[in-house]
Structures are given as C-alpha cells and as structure tokens.
Amino acid sequence: MNQVVTPATGKTAIATNPATGSQFGEVAHTPEHRYASIFQQARRAQKVWAEKSFAQRSKHLRKMRNYIRDHADELARLISDSNGKTRMDALITEVLPCQLACDWYGKHAAKVLAPERRGPSSPLWIGKRSEVRHEPLGVVGIISPWNYPLSIPFGEIVMGLMAGNAIILKVAAATPLVGKAIEDIIAAGNLPHGLFNHIVGSGGQVSSAMFEHGVDKLFFTGSVPTGKQLMAQAAETLTPLSLELGGKDPMIVLKDADLERAANGAAWAGYQNAGQSCGGVERIYVHESVYDRFVSLLADRTRELRHGVPTDECDVDIGSMTTANQRRTVESQLAEAVEAGATVVAQSEGPGHGPGHFHAATLVTNVDHGMRLMQEETFGPIMPVMPFRTEDEAVELANDSPMALTASIWTRNTRHGKELANRINGGVVAINDHLYTHAMSDVPWGGPGDSGIGRTHGPEGLKEMTKAKVVNWDWLRAKRNLWWYPQDQASYAAIRSALYLVAPRTVLDFLRSAIRVLPTMIRKMYF
C-alpha cells in the first residue's frame, strides 16, 4: 500500500496523528494546470466504462473487495493514525463496510438499475408503451470528510462505478494518506485509465474546479455552512448535488425499555469515534420513571471506558478527536452548558496532558433546549440527558432541531416503537439500536432539513448516481394522433368527451364517452 508520499517541491497535505501530534507523511497537491486534463481523461474513460455490462463492472469490484480483505489490518492502522479512532473502530466502521459495499453493489446494481417497463396509465394512451432507463451521469465528484475518511467516500465511489460513472475524489485535508490508500484499493480493481481520479488540494480550490470543468453531480459530506456554499456555487451551472450535512440525533428511552441495553447502546453510539459521527447520539430523552436508573447505568459505562492513544493491542475504547478546532467546539459547548446550570455526572479517564486532541467521554444532566449543547451539532464525546413525562413531550423535544439525520427509540414493544417512529423526523429511525445503518449497503442514508439533500446507499443511492431517460413508443402504428393536424370540431368534441373517460360519474358515463371518442379517433388515426 502506498502510504507515504514525500514530494520534493510544491504544496503538500501533511498527515498528522491527532492522538500523538506526530507527522507521518505528506502528499503533494495536484497541480492546477493538470485539472483540465484530468476531467478530459475521466470523460473519455467513462464512455468506455459505460459500455461494460454490470457483470463486467462487478468483476473489478471483487478485486477491490479482496484487496480490502487482504490489507484490512494495514488499512485500519492507517485510518486510526490519520483521524485518531481506535483500530477496532476503524475495522468495524470503515474497513468492513467498504468490503460489504463492494459485495452488495456488485451483486445488486444490475437489478436495481435495470430498465423499467411501464404500460399505459390511462385509456387515452392505449397504444403507448414506455421504458424508464437509468443511465450514468458521466463524471461524478465526491468531496469527503475526515470523520470516516475511508468508508464514506468509498461507498459513494463504488455506487458511482457500478452505475457507469467516472469519479473525481477530494478527501479531507486532515486525512490525506487515506486518499492515497483509496488509490491503492482502486488500482487493485484494474479500472480503465483515467476512470478514477484523486485530486489533492484545498477544498475551495477543488470544488470550484469541479464546477468549472463540469462534474455531472457532486456528492458532499460535511458541515451545513459548507454545504450551503456549495449549493450556491452549483446554482451557477445548475449542477445537481447530494449533500449529507450532519445531525443532532435524539435517543428516546421509553419506560418499558431494557435499560441495560439502552445504556450500552448509548455509550457506543454517543462516544464511538470520539463522538464524531453525524449519525451518533447527541441528545438523550428518558422517561422520568426510569431516568435515575438509566443515568446511573450510563454513568458507570462512561467511567469504565478506556481512553487513550490507539494501539495495535486494542487496549483503549476511545481515541482522540481529529482536529483541534473540533475539540475547541466541544469544550466551548460544554463550558457554556455548565455555566448555565448543567451537571457533569461522569467522565472517562483521559490520557492526561499531551499533544493529542483528547476530550473525555462526558455525561451531562440538568440540560435544556436553551443551551447550544442541545441545539447545535456537538460532534464530540458529550452526551446530555433530559427526562420527559409523556411521549408527546418526547416527540416534541426530539423534533426540536433543524437537523434530522437519525434517531432511535428504545422499548421492549417493537410494534409501539415502529408506531412512534412515524412521528419522529429523521432519515433513519432505529428501534433498540443506533449508529449502524450507514454500514448497511441495502438501505438509504440521509435525512431532511439541515441534514441535507438526497440519499446515498441502497437502491436509492444507486439511482442518485444515474439520470432517468424515458423511451416511449406506440405499437398501434397509426397515421396520426387524435390531437394532430388538421384540427376540427369533431376532434375537439372527442377530446372533450375523453375527459369523462378519465373521470366518469358512472360506468354508463364511461361507456357513453367511449362511444363518442372511438369513431373520431379511428377516423383521425387511420383514414
């Protein structure tokens, strides 16, 4: 695997381990003068790739899948060193989902994107037949974040490739060597030259180049403000976007919940990846009758967590945060909440003072929706907990956010949990679990409101990588249609009568209308 690239001259993206502060590699920025040729090569390669069958494309994906399997430890270590998450975290939330993506999309894309035959939707179109085809977009741009530097972009790459597209990738500046690792995975697939391209550079520079050189769609995962900026840029060229912008995801614990499972699930979904998961738990609402017991259990789980520098021995549960700016955001939200009356109930024991961007896993009570901690995305290992009296109150609190990516409901009554899920805003609502469906290739990922636009993953994600084309034909082989020239009073009367074919008052009304329409239609179409 090509892990370290040290250029002799020019700008570079430096890889720094956020847990230790040590630099362990750098990657040269792609020269701007090469951008035009990269896009030209991508378009040429895409035309060749689009001619391949789904079965042929899937063979390339199987080679990538096998490469991931054979280099799993190396990939997990690189991801861990790049963004601070533990080796186990990297393996289960990044490496394994990439392998699953290769497998599922390779097997199911042909069925999902097969042409759809549609018959006439009305008697007026009796001779018409249609086929809806899902054609490749062309060149797809992907701008990915640092919190899941492998699994987020790679899943989109695989979807784009199976749909017949070329790919232009820009990874986060904080994790440049993961971008190089993606290059190695793609190289193992033996794709046509120029079909996949990884551009290294500043986010604004590369995104502007994507619009300038005409990507056919841009997939972006990141912050709400940046997503809005890209949307404004895209408006200039009417470039379609898919935006996954974050979440302030609620967890609702009902009075009949299995509290031990709920506490264990909260610890995982709130503290995993040092809380830097857009689909992780950011707010917890617990029925007042079980509130104290739940808080006690979650406090125990919080204190038990091993917090420190990730190693190959897997002897820590939480690593570091990825960037100093994000750590400061978390510290600021927590400090403001405490000043406003919040109580820190429990924390994990951190590694002490050092160069890493560590923040203890922290459980907080006595919070309210006037605090930034309960309104803005925290994206860190802080879990605030509030009690509620009624389910209506819990729903109101859970929906009190412009972001609606995921949510979870914890109850022993699955049927009731499903019913309650109908009232919760969110792209994903899980029952008795949280923070795992992003790894499921067969279901869509995304949410409404400030959480973004569009979906990735699943059949819906595959179709987002295509453009629909309708092919329509007429098997009646008439000389002309009823509404073609020459127009006359008889044609007008027939069309007027046809309104009752579409919306008859009675069956007799329908038959009368048909009798009035058919003679004129036959005369006009065949004589």
Side-chain angles (χ1 to χ4, degrees), residues 496-507:
R496 186 69 179 82
S497 296
L499 298 177
Y500 292 89
L501 286 175
V502 177
R505 296 188 183 95
T506 64
V507 174

Side-chain angles (χ1 to χ4, degrees), residues 85-360:
K85 65 180 61 178
T86 66
R87 304 290 198 265
M88 178 64 176
D89 195 338
L91 185 66
I92 191 65
T93 68
E94 301 242 39
V95 178
L96 179 59
C98 290
Q99 192 175 29
L100 294 173
C102 289
D103 190 60
W104 194 86
Y105 294 113
K107 290 178 179 177
H108 296 277
K111 180 179 180 181
V112 171
L113 300 180
E116 303 171 34
R117 295 291 291 270
R118 298 184 186 177
S121 58
S122 165
L124 293 175
W125 314 126
I126 188 66
K128 304 295 184 183
R129 295 294 183 271
S130 298
E131 183 177 87
V132 180
R133 299 176 182 175
H134 303 286
E135 296 187 339
L137 291 166
V139 177
V140 169
I142 297 172
I143 300 178
S144 62
W146 44 255
N147 61 325
Y148 290 88
L150 179 66
S151 60
I152 287 179
F154 190 76
E156 294 173 353
I157 289 168
V158 169
M159 285 184 284
L161 290 174
M162 281 306 299
N165 299 298
I167 306 295
I168 307 289
L169 171 67
K170 161 70 175 74
V171 304
T175 55
L177 291 186
V178 179
K180 298 300 292 184
I182 292 173
E183 289 185 28
D184 293 334
I185 297 171
I186 300 298
N190 294 323
L191 299 177
H193 176 70
L195 187 68
F196 170 82
N197 301 272
H198 171 213
I199 295 181
V200 182
S202 70
Q205 180 186 61
V206 177
S207 63
S208 295
M210 288 186 176
F211 292 126
E212 178 185 348
H213 294 286
V215 291
D216 295 289
K217 190 169 185 176
L218 177 63
F219 287 76
F220 171 77
T221 304
S223 70
V224 174
T226 303
K228 290 181 177 180
Q229 291 173 11
L230 289 173
M231 198 168 183
Q233 280 185 276
E236 297 294 325
T237 52
L238 291 181
T239 302
L241 296 175
S242 176
L243 304 175
E244 200 271 87
L245 305 179
K248 190 68 181 172
D249 305 329
M251 171 179 176
I252 299 174
V253 182
L254 302 184
K255 59 185 176 182
D256 69 336
D258 179 336
L259 295 184
E260 185 172 359
R261 177 176 177 83
N264 289 335
W268 156 256
Y271 299 139
Q272 178 268 340
N273 196 26
Q276 299 169 125
S277 298
C278 53
V281 171
E282 290 234 348
R283 302 173 285 149
I284 305 178
Y285 305 102
V286 185
H287 191 271
E288 60 182 6
S289 65
V290 295
Y291 176 80
D292 290 339
R293 176 59 178 155
F294 175 84
V295 170
S296 177
L297 287 169
L298 186 51
D300 289 341
R301 301 298 178 272
T302 302
R303 296 187 191 100
E304 291 165 358
L305 291 171
R306 300 167 299 170
H307 197 164
V309 177
T311 67
D312 290 341
E313 285 70 36
C314 298
D315 52 358
V316 297
D317 300 307
I318 305 177
S320 73
M321 300 189 67
T322 306
T323 71
N325 283 340
Q326 191 58 42
R327 187 194 67 213
R328 284 191 287 269
T329 296
V330 173
E331 292 171 343
S332 173
Q333 285 192 16
L334 180 60
E336 287 183 19
V338 170
E339 185 177 355
T343 302
V344 174
V345 176
Q347 289 187 305
S348 61
E349 186 176 347
H353 297 290
H357 303 312
F358 290 97
H359 193 291

